[in-house]
Amino acid sequence: MNARKIIVDCDPGIDDALALMLLLRSPEVEILGITVVCGNVPTAVGAENALKILSWMDRPDIPVYTGEESPLTRSYVDARDTHGSDGLGETFYPSVTSVRPHRDAVQFLADTLAKAKETEEKITILALGPLTNIARLIERHPDCLDAIDGFYSMGGCYRSHGNCSPVAEYNYWCDPHAAKAVFDAFASLPQLSGRQIQMIGLDVTRKIVLTPNLIEYLCRLNPEIGEKVRRITRFYVDFHWKQEGIIGCVINDPLAAAYLIDHSLCTGFSAHTEVETEGICLGQSVVDAFGFWDVPENSYILTRTSPLRFMEMFFERLTGIAAEKLSPALRQLMAPDSADMEGSL
Ligand code: BDR
Ligand code: CA
């Protein structure tokens, strides 16, 4: 299999950690590096967490780079209320000392893309946090962007409500100026023409709820990984109970990773999207679904997904057991309609 070469830009974060676990067990992708941005936790903390995940999954060979430490313009607001003070649900697993993070994520992104451009290779970027590193890449190294053949961003929302304000999702709300710069670049830069941002927003990720029953099933199948997942998600489950009154936790970032691997997990539509940087709609992704503005479509907006099919892939990758074998128990543990493509509100 010819693995797709990807760079994961992230802010680990509990759901980022789960996305990395899924990717590290997926032969369809080769992770060239993990670049960390400030978001859920400060950049240095996120980089420590990335190293922990790589060590758990026995992949210390993948380099981790620290990136931007504050949003472009706005003051930094972390999400430690959601992810815990250590970003991994206050589990305080010891830091990895045998390997350390490298510096300058933006330079790593630029060097990797420039080299790929020379050798006519293509690179896919999966962005699971605020888009600050990517905005800096676009600003400082516009010449290497031709080598990007896929850009996936977990962020935003179309019809679903936000999770930081009535209209804004965290990654775009944390650094709205960066999100705007990236969406604008995909609408206007010739180096990016013909490509769209795959926007995996709350419309679809809200459907992906990891419940205590599912976690229990994972522990039975693979106690080592299952217990890690149970420990790091406990805080996140408590947060969801307090915040949303649900039993379980919404795992946004793994859906973006799963969709990158298998596009049949979600459907959506192409549109021009702008990001608001001011006022009460700060961080809102405004999707021109009806073509009012008559400007180039810069995004593909996901609106429907099958939670069951996602869980089949997630469990298959984390346990090494074929999806067909897992399916009966997953069907029993999930809502009766979870096999359907559930739509946005
Ligand atoms: C996004 O924000 C973060 O808290 C999560 O890691 C995810 O990337 C969801 O709004
Ligand atoms: Ca994230």
Side-chain angles (χ1 to χ4, degrees):
M1 181 187 296
N2 255 351
R4 195 164 170 185
K5 291 183 191 308
I6 69 168
I7 296 173
V8 186
D9 187 64
C10 56
D11 60 338
I14 296 164
D15 59 335
D16 301 73
L18 299 176
L20 288 171
M21 287 178 172
L22 187 157
L23 291 163
L24 290 164
R25 288 283 162 86
S26 295
E28 297 88 345
V29 293
E30 178 190 347
I31 304 179
L32 302 180
I34 298 175
T35 54
V36 179
V37 67
C38 67
N40 293 322
V41 285
T43 309
V45 180
E48 295 295 341
N49 292 341
L51 290 176
K52 289 179 193 176
I53 308 306
L54 290 172
S55 148
W56 297 350
M57 306 303 280
D58 207 16
R59 289 301 307 273
D61 54 299
I62 297 178
V64 173
Y65 293 84
T66 54
E68 297 299 299
E69 291 175 358
S70 56
L72 294 188
T73 306
R74 193 164 126 70
S75 302
Y76 171 41
V77 183
D78 66 40
R80 292 200 251 197
D81 60 335
T82 314
H83 295 264
S85 55
D86 65 346
L88 289 179
E90 311 209 330
T91 46
F92 303 111
Y93 281 101
S95 292
V96 175
T97 51
S98 49
V99 212
R100 301 303 301 145
H102 305 268
R103 293 164 74 89
D104 211 341
V106 175
Q107 193 62 51
F108 167 73
L109 281 155
D111 291 346
T112 309
L113 291 171
K115 199 170 144 212
K117 188 174 165 180
E118 253 176 55
T119 54
E120 295 187 2
E121 277 184 301
K122 294 289 177 198
I123 306 289
T124 291
I125 297 177
L126 172 62
L128 303 175
L131 293 172
T132 322
N133 284 345
I134 309 302
R136 289 289 186 214
L137 170 76
I138 291 169
E139 173 196 301
R140 294 178 189 157
H141 306 279
D143 293 345
C144 66
L145 302 176
D146 319 57
I148 298 176
D149 75 337
F151 186 81
Y152 296 73
S153 163
M154 190 284 127
C157 41
Y158 162 49
R159 285 189 170 157
S160 180
H161 59 91
N163 58 6
C164 283
S165 82
V167 296
E169 176 280 330
Y170 176 73
N171 288 337
Y172 295 180
W173 176 87
C174 178
D175 193 344
H177 298 88
K180 178 176 167 46
V182 176
F183 276 83
D184 288 356
F186 273 83
S188 60
L189 292 184
Q191 307 91 296
L192 291 168
S193 74
R195 275 144 297 168
Q196 297 184 336
I197 298 171
Q198 300 275 342
M199 190 181 104
I200 305 104
L202 297 175
D203 301 273
V204 281
T205 64
R206 273 216 162 89
K207 310 289 176 195
I208 308 298
V209 183
L210 191 62
T211 61
N213 276 350
L214 288 169
I215 296 168
E216 180 64 25
Y217 183 42
L218 190 61
C219 289
R220 303 282 166 132
L221 297 171
N222 184 330
E224 203 189 324
I225 284 204
E227 284 305 330
K228 290 250 167 45
V229 171
R230 196 206 298 272
R231 288 191 66 189
I232 67 170
T233 54
R234 182 71 230 187
F235 187 96
Y236 209 28
V237 169
D238 288 345
F239 172 83
H240 279 82
W241 170 244
K242 281 184 242 149
Q243 194 75 14
E244 307 202 5
I246 62 166
I247 300 284
C249 52
V250 174
I251 51 168
N252 306 279
D253 294 337
L255 181 66
Y259 171 70
L260 183 155
I261 293 166
D262 181 355
H263 273 202
S264 76
L265 288 175
C266 302
T267 59
F269 64 94
S270 294
H272 182 86
T273 298
E274 302 261 338
V275 178
E276 179 55 81
T277 55
E278 285 176 1
I280 61 169
C281 294
L282 181 108
Q284 181 179 14
S285 44
V286 182
V287 178
D288 184 16
F290 301 99
F292 287 105
W293 296 329
D294 197 19
V295 281
E297 291 167 344
N298 57 353
S299 55
Y300 188 76
I301 308 296
L302 300 187
T303 53
R304 290 163 72 78
T305 189
S306 163
L308 175 71
R309 288 205 43 228
F310 164 80
M311 283 301 171
E312 284 174 353
M313 181 196 274
F314 186 65
F315 273 68
E316 179 180 73
R317 303 306 160 103
L318 263 54
T319 65
I321 300 170
E324 305 83 74
K325 287 203 171 157
L326 300 163
S327 193
L330 288 174
R331 280 174 192 273
Q332 187 223 330
L333 296 171
M334 295 176 71
D337 58 356
S338 63
D340 303 342
M341 287 292 238
E342 287 187 31
S344 58
L345 308 173

